[in-house]
Amino acid sequence: MNFFKKSLPYLAMIFQQFNLASMAIIVKHALDNGLSPHVLVALRMVVAAILVSPFAIVMERNTRPMMTLSTFSKIVLLSLFEPVLSQNFSYTGMKYTTATFNVSMSNILPAMTFIMAWIFRLEIVKLRKLHGQAKIVGTLVAVGGGIIMTFVKGTLLDLPWTNGRTIIFKKSATDVEHTDLMKGGGLIVVGLFCWSCFTFLQEHIVRSYPSVLSLAALVCILGSVEGIILAFLVERGNTKIWSIFNPDAKLLAVIYGGLMSCSTYLILGWLMKKRGPVFVTSFNPLAMVLVTIFNSIFLAERLFLGRVLGAAVIIIGLCMVLWGKSKDQRHSNSQNIQDEEPVAAAAQNGLQMAVINGDIESPSQSNVTVDEGTRGSCMT
């Protein structure tokens, strides 16, 4: 049971990466079939708000802290970073690229988050310690693996399950014009920056507003309102884009996206209080590996040696970052224990000195003194 409890954060993040990988494939297919990224973001948050709000109302009705104007303003800003800005930039960039390219670009997120946490002193890095060096080198290795996986093609691997299969996504990053690739990559980077800001702000908010369900519900509700306003402003005059209620990839992307948003905000809100933003974003390279595997198995996409080597490099870098984080946590726990021991010893020594000096008297001594005084007055 203790092993399962320790492994739960890692299992939760692996589950989250499966969700991200499958969502990337579904969204790319829906976008290729005419779904507007702005409508997708708005409607998926409506679905997420409908799903998570009843649980927040019922399960946290007695534990929900009082909402203040300052906290509400922060949650409004939080919902603006993600889902509105982050997802709109990311999905618009995906229209100009591919699902694999989109998820591959997310490998800069751990480095971006790590650097921002280091700048704002939210992440302590001891360069003279081996675990501190492991976090820096591991981040660079993971980013390097993402670059290898994206831009190094290599030899075509003839996998048995890809023979005789039809490729649904015929476009790849090499089929897109260079201007579209640069435009899409730039939009994705901006979206990742907004996501990084979201993780930092969420970690700050959960300290004063620890109700994870209520926070997720508020983010979904506010994100849906902001997303609908943005969609109307960007797509004004084009009412056909709201026609998504046919049983096709568009409707699947909206419903599955709402489900994934619920799980994402709940898992991230829980892990932010336990491990912090760097731990959360360190798992992003796994999504790229999963997208490549899913595309190869289910969509018969051709797999090249460069992607396999890049995936291996990413896993190595991820293990280095997680190892450094685990050493940091053990070191901080041992340091807290060492800091508490002198305080407890000093308090114990002070108590013993007070007893020796007669500053603290036992109840029996006080009773004896009173009895003797009373007895003397009676004799007089």
Side-chain angles (χ1 to χ4, degrees):
M1 180 61 69
N2 190 26
F3 174 78
F4 176 76
K5 187 176 180 181
K6 292 181 179 180
S7 303
L8 194 57
Y10 299 91
L11 296 175
M13 285 307 305
I14 293 173
F15 171 76
Q16 181 61 23
Q17 297 310 308
F18 270 96
N19 285 340
L20 291 175
S22 56
M23 184 62 190
I25 297 175
I26 294 172
V27 166
K28 178 58 182 174
H29 185 45
L31 292 175
D32 289 342
N33 283 272
L35 179 61
S36 169
H38 314 297
V39 174
L40 170 62
V41 174
L43 294 183
R44 71 177 282 188
M45 297 316 299
V46 172
V47 174
I50 294 173
L51 292 175
V52 75
S53 296
F55 293 98
I57 294 173
V58 174
M59 299 179 65
E60 294 182 345
R61 62 182 181 275
N62 297 325
T63 60
R64 189 182 303 110
M66 183 179 296
M67 178 64 67
T68 63
L69 180 60
S70 175
T71 302
F72 182 76
S73 301
K74 294 175 183 177
I75 296 176
V76 171
L77 182 61
L78 183 71
S79 63
L80 185 63
F81 280 128
E82 162 64 25
V84 179
L85 294 178
S86 175
Q87 292 184 20
N88 272 283
F89 279 115
S90 179
Y91 292 151
T92 304
M94 187 185 290
K95 287 185 65 176
Y96 298 101
T97 57
T98 64
T100 303
F101 184 86
N102 184 287
V103 180
S104 298
M105 288 293 292
S106 68
N107 287 283
I108 69 173
L109 185 59
M112 188 182 298
T113 305
F114 178 77
I115 293 172
M116 290 178 63
W118 194 3
I119 293 174
F120 292 104
R121 298 182 179 180
L122 298 175
E123 182 77 12
I124 299 175
V125 180
K126 298 181 178 180
L127 297 177
R128 296 183 179 180
K129 298 291 184 178
L130 183 61
H131 55 83
Q133 298 170 2
K135 290 193 293 184
I136 296 177
V137 176
T139 300
L140 297 176
V141 169
V143 174
I147 295 173
I148 294 173
M149 195 173 183
T150 304
F151 298 106
V152 178
K153 192 173 182 179
T155 307
L156 176 64
L157 300 179
D158 188 16
L159 301 177
W161 58 78
T162 60
N163 295 329
R165 299 286 299 277
T166 302
I167 301 176
I168 296 177
F169 299 148
K170 295 182 179 180
K171 290 196 306 180
S172 63
T174 57
D175 298 323
V176 184
E177 295 182 0
H178 180 71
T179 54
D180 292 337
L181 189 63
M182 295 297 293
K183 183 177 181 180
L187 291 171
I188 293 170
V189 170
V190 175
L192 292 174
F193 175 77
C194 294
W195 176 264
S196 183
C197 294
F198 167 82
T199 58
F200 283 110
L201 185 57
Q202 186 184 36
E203 184 192 23
H204 175 73
I205 291 176
V206 294
R207 296 175 184 174
S208 58
Y209 197 84
S211 299
V212 178
L213 277 173
S214 299
L215 179 60
L218 287 171
V219 169
C220 293
I221 293 171
L222 294 172
S224 62
V225 174
E226 296 165 352
I228 291 174
I229 294 174
L230 179 63
F232 272 113
L233 292 176
V234 176
E235 303 285 357
R236 58 184 179 274
N238 187 8
T239 58
K240 294 182 179 180
I241 61 172
W242 298 94
S243 301
I244 54 95
F245 298 103
N246 297 321
D248 54 10
K250 298 179 184 179
L251 184 61
L252 176 62
V254 170
I255 296 176
Y256 187 77
L259 292 171
M260 201 202 75
S261 295
C262 292
S263 65
T264 297
Y265 296 140
L266 292 177
I267 291 174
L268 293 186
W270 173 62
L271 286 176
M272 284 299 174
K273 296 191 292 185
K274 287 184 170 293
R275 297 301 180 91
V278 175
F279 176 84
V280 171
T281 56
S282 296
F283 281 82
N284 279 69
L286 286 180
M288 183 182 60
V289 179
L290 294 174
V291 166
T292 304
I293 295 174
F294 289 168
N295 281 340
S296 174
I297 295 176
F298 300 109
L299 305 177
E301 181 178 330
R302 293 177 298 176
L303 188 62
F304 294 93
L305 181 61
R307 291 185 178 180
V308 176
L309 294 177
V313 174
I314 286 171
I315 294 174
I316 293 174
L318 178 61
C319 292
M320 294 175 67
V321 174
L322 295 179
W323 179 81
K325 287 292 295 181
S326 64
K327 291 295 182 180
D328 266 351
Q329 189 174 9
R330 293 178 183 177
H331 179 74
S332 61
N333 292 337
S334 62
Q335 186 66 32
N336 291 335
I337 295 174
Q338 292 177 1
D339 292 341
E340 290 174 358
E341 288 179 352
V343 176
Q348 183 67 26
N349 293 334
L351 179 63
Q352 293 176 356
M353 291 298 296
V355 172
I356 294 174
N357 295 332
D359 294 335
I360 299 179
E361 296 177 348
S362 64
S364 58
Q365 289 176 331
S366 301
N367 293 337
V368 171
T369 305
V370 172
D371 292 343
E372 290 179 353
T374 306
R375 187 179 305 169
S377 60
C378 293
M379 290 178 62
T380 305

